[in-house]
Every structure is written in C-alpha cells, then in structure tokens.
Amino acid sequence: MDKKMLKQWLECGFVQNRKLFPTKAGTPQGGIISPTIANMTLDGLEEAVRKSCPSRRKVNFIRYADDLLSTADSKELIENNIIPAINDFLKPRGLMLSPEKTRIVRIEEGFDFLGQHLQKFHNKLLITPSKKNTKSFLDKVRSEIKAHRGCKCEIMIQKLNPIIRGWSNYHRYIQASETLYWADKVILNALKRWARRRHSNKGPRWIKKKYFRSLGVKWVFFHKFKDKNGKKKTLELLRPSSLKLVRYIKIKGESNAFDPKYTAYFIMRRRLSNTAPREQYAAIS
C-alpha cells in the first residue's frame, strides 16, 4: 500500500473523551491494527507455498494473521519446499519463522493451533478445544467468581456471561460437545462453592432453591433481583453447552465483506450459520 498513508495510519493515535492519545511507538497488543497489518504483509504467502510444490501433491495452507499451518503428504516436501518458500517470502519483508514455534509433526500425533487440537483418527480429522485453552478459560471463570464474593450476584452473572459466550462461540464449529458439558460441571461446582461461602449459615436445600433451578436434566444458576425502577428481573448464567454446534464452512479466500459482488455470498453464510443443524464434524480444506 501507499507507505505515506501507512505511516500516517500508524502515527495517528486515537481520541477518547475528546482527548488525543498519540501513538509514540509500535502497535497496541491485541489492537485490531496489528492483525490487519499482518494480513497486509503476508497476503500472497499461500500462493507462494503452492507454487513451491509440484502439482498434484496434497498441500494445504491455512493462515490467521501471523499464525501459519501447512499440511503435506510427506515430511521431505515440507522441509525441502514449503519451509524454504515461506522463508524466501518473509525475508524481503524483514520477517522470519520462529524456530521455537515451528514444528513438524504427523497429523496422527496431533497438534494445537489457535486454541484447538487437531488430530486424525481412522481417516477422520477431529478438532477439539485444546487442553491449554480450556484450562485458561476455566481459570479465568473461577478467578472472576472468587473476585465477586462480596458483590451482588447480578453483577457477577453480567461479568461471566460475555466470557462464557465468547469462548463457547469460538469453539462451536468443532467437536466441542464433551468439553462444553465438562465446562458446565466445572463452573457449576465453582458456583456451589461460591454460594456455600456466601451463605455459610444456610443449608444445601436453601442454597439450591435460591440460586439453582432445574432445566430438564441440567441445572441453571440464576438470580432474582429488582432493578432501579423496582421491577422484578431474573438473570441466568449462560451454560457453555447451551450454544448450538454448527458445521463450519471454510470462507472463500478472495471474498471481501465490503465488496458488493460478495453480498449474496455472506448472506448465504449468515443464513447457514443461524439455521444449521447440530453437527459433530468440522470441515477443513
């Protein structure tokens, strides 16, 4: 792109509450500009990988910002063709592959990528939430519950629901049902301990009646309270397993949400994601 425009973009800072916060150096960690620049820098890498390999070879390349994953039908093809092609592409851009993070493994052994574990069993690719990602999520939920020991229950639920919804939505396109149900149990047990500490002079039946109600064979954590206008309201804690799992459809690489010619394509994707039946397998190409 226009280097002058890029320089102005990086140095423009941001305005909040009518106050200018200038950008002095670098890009903010987790800021949307960081993956945007990564995409602009690395666009074309997929084509470079494909050109480096002989035709009719089973080669796939997946990239999310600066996280890369490539598959091939032999270790030699990866070592002799794909990795050198990636390094040749990155070198003029002042980048290189990280030796610590770059690994070559058989797909039957399995590996973690973007918080998910990919492994092949009996000719089927199974994708599940990684143990590290699941542990990080549950640790965050438990720490939030502990931090709200003396707070109002509705404040804790309002804090937890976006965390649970975000994590569950991220994994809804893979084989995550077992992990989601297990996360239900872990969170429920943490809430039981929270309620017992909060009401140490009350019995289990009283606590169960006040904070938990049955939804079929499942239990839901809820709280009744009155808002500022005196109206009675009920808040329920979102269960990870309550979100419907759907089949993932790989997006077309050339599609652009801001290009009118792809409007019908994105409407189709949105319709399928909202109406798709519960599935057990994710498609990757």
Side-chain angles (χ1 to χ4, degrees), residues 220-236:
V220 178
F221 183 82
F222 77 102
H223 179 64
K224 292 182 178 180
F225 66 101
K226 291 183 179 180
D227 62 10
K228 295 180 180 179
N229 299 322
K231 293 182 179 179
K232 293 183 179 180
K233 290 190 174 182
T234 301
L235 268 180
E236 286 188 359

Side-chain angles (χ1 to χ4, degrees), residues 2-131:
D2 185 343
K3 298 294 179 64
K4 183 179 179 181
M5 181 64 69
L6 177 61
K7 185 174 184 294
Q8 292 176 349
W9 191 17
L10 292 173
E11 295 179 350
C12 68
F14 66 94
V15 176
Q16 184 175 349
N17 296 329
R18 298 185 178 183
K19 183 180 179 181
L20 174 64
F21 293 84
T23 301
K24 296 181 179 180
T27 58
Q29 179 68 26
I32 194 169
I33 192 174
S34 183
T36 302
I37 293 175
N39 280 328
M40 293 166 61
T41 305
L42 299 177
D43 275 348
L45 181 54
E46 181 176 359
E47 186 64 25
V49 169
R50 295 191 183 279
K51 287 182 178 179
S52 71
C53 301
S55 59
R56 300 181 181 177
R57 297 299 294 268
K58 295 180 180 178
V59 175
N60 293 287
F61 183 82
I62 299 97
R63 180 175 66 83
Y64 184 84
D66 59 343
D67 290 307
L68 316 174
L69 169 64
S70 183
T71 62
D73 55 5
S74 71
K75 183 178 180 181
E76 292 73 20
L77 189 62
I78 293 178
E79 291 178 332
N80 301 331
N81 295 63
I82 295 176
I83 291 181
I86 294 175
N87 284 323
D88 290 342
F89 183 90
L90 296 177
K91 189 174 180 179
R93 293 161 173 79
L95 303 172
M96 62 179 292
L97 286 175
S98 170
E100 295 81 14
K101 295 182 179 180
T102 303
R103 297 174 56 220
I104 300 177
V105 298
R106 288 190 60 84
I107 198 168
E108 289 82 5
E109 298 175 23
F111 56 90
D112 291 348
F113 183 67
L114 297 176
Q116 297 175 345
H117 184 75
L118 293 79
Q119 192 167 5
K120 196 172 183 180
F121 289 102
H122 304 295
N123 246 1
K124 287 184 179 179
L125 180 64
L126 301 181
I127 309 176
T128 57
S130 69
K131 292 181 179 179

Side-chain angles (χ1 to χ4, degrees), residues 230-249:
K231 293 182 179 179
K232 293 183 179 180
K233 290 190 174 182
T234 301
L235 268 180
E236 286 188 359
L237 185 71
L238 184 68
R239 293 179 297 106
S241 63
S242 66
L243 294 174
K244 182 176 67 175
L245 301 184
V246 297
R247 182 183 294 275
Y248 173 71
I249 304 173

Side-chain angles (χ1 to χ4, degrees), residues 59 87 140 145 151 166 174 186 190 199 208 218 258 278 285:
V59 175
N87 284 323
K140 185 175 183 179
I145 293 174
C151 299
I174 62 174
V186 174
H199 305 283
K208 181 179 177 182
K218 301 168 186 175
F258 300 100
R278 193 178 183 91
S285 58

